[in-house]
Amino acid sequence: MMVSSTGTFVSCKDYDDDIDNINKELTDIKSKLSDLESKVTTGGAYVTKIESVEGGLKVSVSDGTSYNLTIAGTPAGSTVVIDKTTGEISIDGTPTGFFATTGTTPQGESTAPYVKDGFWYFYDDATKAFVKSEYKASGNAWAVQKGDSVVLHIPNEAGVMQEITLPTSSSALTALNATPSNWTSGKNIAWSKAGADVTWAGKKGNVTAGQLLIGQLGSETATVTPASYDLGAQELTLVDIDGKTAPVTVTATAAEGDYVTDRAASPSGKWNLAIAMTDEVTADNIATAFTKKVNGVDKNVKYALAVNGTVMTGYEYVIDTQTVNESKTNTAYNKANIGLANANVALGTSTLSLNAATAAQAYDSYLTFEGASKSLAEAKGITVDGMNITVPATAAATSGLSVTVNILDITGKIAKKDIILTIAGASVSETETVAPVSIKISTVNSFSVDLGTIFTNLDANIAQNADATKTTVTTADGNFFALTSTTAANGLFNVADNGKIAFKKADGGAASIAARNATKAVITLNYVSSKYTTAAKDLANIYGTFNLTLTLKDAQGNELKKVIVPVTVSKPEFDDYYTANQYAGWNEGVLSSVIDNSTNAPAFTMPTNLYTINKKADGTGMTDAQPGYTYTYKKADASEVKNVDAITFNDVVKDGFLKTTDYKVKASKEVVTVNALTGVSNTAADNTISVSKEFTMKLAPAFNKAKLVYYTNGVAGTVAAVNADGIIVALTGDGTANKPKNGLALQYGDEEIAVSTTAIPASASNDHKLGGYEVTTGSAATGAIVVEFAKSAESAGGSVTLETSDTGVKIADLNAGQGGELVVTFTDYAGIKTQATIEYKK
């Protein structure tokens, strides 16, 4: 589809039930999607075009690249177009009478059309529910235009449908994640009517008797994708399910961590959201301005957050004000409880905020310097205006400065309190992004970040004031890495003495921030006692691309520099840990082995040296043992067993012969333990990551390589001569010039013995072996190979016996000119038979 003119989406062929047949292609799609998401979320690119192509979708990107998300053999899907003027949906040029919506349902689900059971489903505004249409879809993969973004619906590598949202312009918002904590029912926004006139020097000015005074509602946080999206420049509103806008203004300011800056951008993609009531809200209607009658009772209205008119969240926000009776119970402030959300102040202009408890009953506030602090502030050039404070670079690290917080509470009373400030030691530089890093979860627990010239070009003031021991690595959008970084129990964490974050020079030596020679940062993950610790609540969530933030601070803990590090975390592969042992019987990826004759349950034991264990950089093994194995095979009765721990003798042997020779084997090993924070109490739970690999194994009886050879004057032949006495003579001679080989021999590899009662005795003996196995014409109870002689049914002659006189094998009643096929059967003590044959003629 052409994104610029119309919204379209396509569907492609249903995927086969047998996911094994397309697993490789699905994995390839996963890799492409990961690269595509990384490019648009951190690289600033956006989707320019989506087309229906043979096998699925083609996505074109603003940097000139494109991605074919296809399955071989799948035809192109139908094309569905949304008219941007009327919103009507057409399928292959035929209007459907349905009109597209791009909002969310009361349950917070997208109202975009989707495919189910082979049919298109459309959202009906009248019934507030999806309805099944008469229009058939070609399959279950499609793309839907939604505002300034496109949503891909496509299977993941396991065949499960997933949604991938991508921007269609450089300023597109593809996702907004905001979980309300303050804007929920039960918060009871405080308000009162002023009892008298108040003279007030704050921004809101003097108060008259009877005026409505409203407490400040605590802010919420929101994270946007892509992180470069400027939420502060957009129109934000709260709307209810009927599309009615709440009488409030919503303002977004960049959330920077330990300080608040006047910069508009948020390099981490994290924003603070604040609301203020409009003039529509008065003392007469505030108790009910955000409610509606339900069965005669006032209930809080639930709102969704909309960006430029597009609903981006579920309907979960509540503006919960006090009732009239509750408002009458409000009392004046206790000044001892007044506080700031954060007393750390960056150089430049910052905005200080009241803590939640103070803000809840504060109508207005402003800052002043008084007493000795007034003189100190004047001397350092530090000024305040309302809740803003400006600190020049010359005032860096000023100590002993207190600011007076002046409060006018909702009862019309004034209170104040002095709070000590911590002034940053250096000005904050711009946040920069480094080249992406890819890591696999393995027993290698550190990775290197290429800093380029970021730290070598640091501002001199920052370099001198930086305290490397206060460096932190955090993330706001990941699971494998901790959401906060304060303790060792939460993954990546704040460390002293470069214990976990080490800066390196170009030659690999230790670097100094002050010397401005750091070109790399080596980050060590929390990997203790053979396990990682992660903030993930689901093991599957540790994979993906996360934005780490490496933050440099001064000795007071104020931020000086932020570096965004895009890190893609992937699952380890079997080949990261193991390499096939070339001496273990491999032939082009197929393992050839023999059945184990020592027991019949199981019938086979895997060789102990099938793989060699790969080495880590320090020379130690990537893991400590060989993998385990499971087997899938057809039984002798043609039924199949899957993923069993052992091959059962009776399954594969019938009438004494091995009937099943081909097996699918899965090698697997648990290699890494991840300690995940699970449950509401965040109690730790261990989850183990495994690697696996499948291969084909061909199995044969141990004696299957034995064969019969007849020598004539040292030359091996395929037809044995029967003499006048009806005997095929046994092997004589040693192959030397004076003693050429003559007669019938039993051969196994490079070894051979005469077919005689001496070489193949009636009682098994350690002195009579072939290929490492004892051979006998007697019993297999000792574990020897029993040798029996016969002829094929079509052969001439009578009985076949091994002559006790060591003369050879006698075939009775054979006339001159007649012949046949001699059959020698080898049976081990477990009852598995193999055979060797040779033709004979008298």
Side-chain angles (χ1 to χ4, degrees):
M1 71 178 168
M2 293 300 297
V3 173
S4 59
S5 60
T6 60
T8 71
F9 43 101
V10 300
S11 65
C12 56
K13 180 180 178 292
D14 284 328
Y15 291 88
D16 297 335
D17 292 333
D18 186 1
I19 199 66
D20 288 340
N21 294 335
I22 58 173
N23 185 61
K24 181 179 179 181
E25 289 167 301
L26 289 175
T27 301
D28 181 56
I29 289 176
K30 175 187 176 183
S31 175
K32 290 178 180 178
L33 283 172
S34 177
D35 185 58
L36 177 57
E37 285 188 279
S38 176
K39 186 173 292 185
V40 300
T41 55
T42 61
Y46 55 92
V47 173
T48 58
K49 186 179 183 182
I50 292 185
E51 301 169 87
S52 171
V53 297
E54 183 175 353
L57 308 172
K58 178 182 178 181
V59 181
S60 298
V61 186
S62 58
D63 64 358
T65 59
S66 62
Y67 297 83
N68 282 335
L69 309 176
T70 59
I71 299 293
T74 303
S78 58
T79 301
V80 181
V81 178
I82 301 174
D83 188 294
K84 282 200 169 182
T85 302
T86 66
E88 186 171 12
I89 300 170
S90 298
I91 299 178
D92 292 331
T94 302
T96 66
F98 289 96
F99 291 82
T101 59
T102 56
T104 56
T105 70
Q107 294 75 34
E109 299 173 346
S110 171
T111 55
Y114 65 87
V115 173
K116 180 181 177 183
D117 303 326
F119 287 86
W120 285 101
Y121 282 68
F122 301 99
Y123 189 72
D124 185 353
D125 277 327
T127 62
K128 304 296 184 186
F130 281 95
V131 295
K132 179 180 179 180
S133 76
E134 63 186 42
Y135 299 97
K136 288 188 176 181
S138 297
N140 61 353
W142 66 94
V144 179
Q145 171 100 16
K146 183 179 180 181
D148 287 329
S149 62
V150 63
V151 183
L152 303 182
H153 299 254
I154 197 163
N156 62 16
E157 71 277 12
V160 178
M161 292 302 296
Q162 62 180 330
E163 294 185 9
I164 307 295
T165 303
L166 305 170
T168 56
S169 71
S170 59
S171 60
L173 174 64
T174 62
L176 186 149
N177 181 21
T179 302
S181 58
N182 291 311
W183 302 355
T184 57
S185 182
K187 292 301 178 180
N188 283 13
I189 301 172
W191 63 274
S192 294
K193 295 180 182 180
D197 293 345
V198 180
T199 300
W200 177 244
K203 294 289 187 182
K204 293 184 179 180
N206 297 333
V207 171
T208 59
Q211 182 176 330
L212 175 63
L213 306 179
I214 306 172
Q216 300 170 28
L217 184 61
S219 64
E220 299 291 352
T221 59
T223 303
V224 297
T225 302
S228 59
Y229 185 79
D230 187 359
L231 190 63
Q234 314 308 315
E235 180 187 6
L236 306 180
T237 54
L238 294 179
V239 296
D240 64 17
I241 191 63
D242 297 319
K244 183 180 178 181
T245 302
V248 297
T249 59
V250 183
T251 305
T253 55
E256 292 296 308
D258 291 340
Y259 63 91
V260 180
T261 175
D262 58 355
R263 281 179 287 168
S266 175
S268 65
K270 192 171 183 179
W271 296 79
N272 290 325
L273 305 179
I275 68 168
M277 296 181 188
T278 67
D279 293 340
E280 295 178 51
V281 180
T282 67
D284 295 326
N285 68 10
I286 186 171
T288 57
F290 305 95
T291 66
K292 67 178 179 179
K293 294 287 186 182
V294 179
N295 296 325
V297 179
D298 286 324
K299 295 290 186 180
N300 288 320
V301 174
K302 291 186 176 181
Y303 298 99
L305 181 63
V307 179
N308 298 326
T310 299
V311 172
M312 297 299 299
T313 71
Y315 292 86
E316 50 193 349
Y317 294 94
V318 169
I319 309 301
D320 188 7
T321 60
Q322 290 179 330
T323 65
V324 173
N325 288 335
E326 286 172 336
S327 72
K328 294 177 181 179
T329 65
N330 294 322
T331 58
Y333 254 123
N334 178 350
K335 73 173 186 178
N337 296 329
I338 295 174
L340 293 172
N342 197 309
N344 290 340
V345 182
L347 302 188
T349 299
S350 303
T351 301
L352 301 186
S353 300
L354 302 175
N355 61 26
T358 306
Q361 287 187 284
Y363 166 69
D364 196 13
S365 61
Y366 65 93
L367 306 174
T368 57
F369 290 118
E370 299 180 7
S373 287
K374 181 177 182 180
S375 299
L376 179 59
E378 289 179 359
K380 294 292 185 177
I382 302 173
T383 60
V384 291
D385 179 19
M387 293 299 291
N388 295 327
I389 181 170
T390 300
V391 182
T394 53
T398 296
S399 60
L401 181 66
S402 294
V403 70
T404 301
V405 181
N406 300 272
I407 302 284
L408 174 60
D409 68 28
I410 56 174
T411 69
K413 304 298 182 182
I414 296 175
K416 61 174 59 179
K417 183 180 180 181
D418 293 339
I419 295 175
I420 297 175
L421 300 178
T422 300
I423 306 299
S427 59
V428 179
S429 64
E430 293 296 323
T431 298
E432 298 185 58
T433 301
V434 298
V437 177
S438 296
I439 65 173
K440 287 184 178 181
I441 298 174
S442 67
T443 53
V444 179
N445 62 318
S446 65
F447 60 94
S448 180
V449 177
D450 186 355
L451 298 173
T453 60
I454 292 177
F455 275 46
T456 58
N457 290 338
L458 274 178
D459 177 85
N461 193 29
I462 292 178
Q464 290 301 313
N465 285 280
D467 186 341
T469 65
K470 297 295 179 70
T471 305
T472 60
V473 176
T474 58
T475 184
D477 58 356
N479 281 293
F480 176 65
F481 303 99
L483 301 181
T484 58
S485 299
T486 56
T487 66
N490 286 334
L492 295 176
F493 56 97
N494 184 12
V495 292
D497 304 322
N498 290 341
K500 298 298 179 185
I501 307 170
F503 294 103
K504 301 290 185 181
K505 296 186 295 186
D507 62 5
S512 166
I513 302 301
R516 293 187 285 188
N517 57 3
T519 61
K520 293 183 182 296
V522 178
I523 299 176
T524 301
L525 306 178
N526 180 29
Y527 184 74
V528 181
S529 301
S530 300
K531 65 178 68 172
Y532 288 104
T533 299
T534 172
K537 293 184 179 181
D538 185 335
L539 192 62
N541 291 339
I542 65 179
Y543 307 116
T545 299
F546 312 111
N547 280 339
L548 301 187
T549 303
L550 189 154
T551 306
L552 191 62
K553 300 182 180 181
D554 63 15
Q556 290 77 37
N558 292 304
E559 297 178 359
L560 303 177
K561 181 72 178 178
K562 280 188 174 182
V563 178
I564 305 299
V565 184
V567 177
T568 298
V569 182
S570 58
K571 185 181 183 296
E573 304 294 338
F574 186 88
D575 292 344
D576 295 327
Y577 288 83
Y578 298 102
T579 300
N581 182 356
Q582 61 177 320
Y583 304 111
W586 294 100
N587 182 17
E588 296 184 352
V590 176
L591 177 67
S592 297
S593 195
V594 296
I595 200 162
D596 182 5
N597 289 305
S598 62
T599 179
N600 63 5
F604 168 76
T605 303
M606 187 66 76
T608 58
N609 64 339
L610 197 56
Y611 292 97
T612 58
I613 298 174
N614 298 339
K615 302 293 186 184
K616 293 187 288 188
D618 62 5
T620 60
M622 287 290 291
T623 186
D624 57 0
Q626 288 281 320
Y629 303 94
T630 56
Y631 307 89
T632 296
Y633 58 91
K634 290 286 184 64
K635 298 197 295 185
D637 63 5
S639 62
E640 187 177 46
V641 291
K642 293 184 177 182
N643 302 320
V644 295
D645 294 332
I647 301 172
T648 303
F649 179 85
N650 293 330
D651 284 348
V652 297
V653 176
K654 184 177 182 181
D655 300 328
F657 288 92
L658 179 66
K659 296 295 185 180
T660 304
T661 58
D662 287 13
Y663 303 79
K664 185 165 69 173
V665 185
K666 183 177 182 179
S668 59
K669 181 73 165 66
E670 295 180 345
V671 291
V672 178
T673 298
V674 176
N675 186 280
L677 303 180
T678 59
V680 295
S681 62
N682 279 344
T683 55
D686 290 342
N687 300 275
T688 303
I689 297 172
S690 298
V691 294
S692 63
K693 186 170 189 172
E694 289 188 350
F695 59 87
T696 298
M697 178 179 71
K698 291 188 176 296
L699 192 59
F703 216 61
N704 71 307
K705 296 180 181 179
K707 63 180 181 179
L708 294 168
V709 179
Y710 186 81
Y711 288 97
T712 304
N713 292 323
V715 178
T718 57
V719 179
V722 182
N723 64 21
D725 296 326
I727 294 175
I728 304 174
V729 298
L731 175 68
T732 59
D734 58 10
T736 61
N738 296 326
K739 295 181 180 181
K741 292 181 181 181
N742 284 283
L744 186 62
L746 182 57
Q747 192 177 83
Y748 190 101
D750 295 333
E751 300 180 32
E752 60 186 12
I753 58 175
V755 179
S756 66
T757 54
T758 297
I760 310 174
S763 297
S765 167
N766 196 47
D767 296 329
H768 297 84
K769 286 186 174 182
L770 180 62
Y773 295 91
E774 296 180 8
V775 290
T776 177
T777 56
S779 170
T782 60
I785 302 295
V786 174
V787 184
E788 300 174 275
F789 296 87
K791 61 181 179 64
S792 65
E794 299 83 7
S795 299
S799 62
V800 179
T801 57
L802 183 63
E803 294 293 275
T804 58
S805 60
D806 257 0
T807 54
V809 177
K810 183 174 182 178
I811 301 174
D813 304 326
L814 189 66
N815 297 323
Q818 291 183 322
E821 183 182 58
L822 178 66
V823 179
V824 181
T825 301
F826 311 102
T827 308
D828 66 19
Y829 85 104
I832 300 178
K833 302 176 184 294
T834 54
Q835 293 178 329
T837 62
I838 193 169
E839 292 184 4
Y840 60 84
K841 189 172 183 180
K842 186 174 182 179

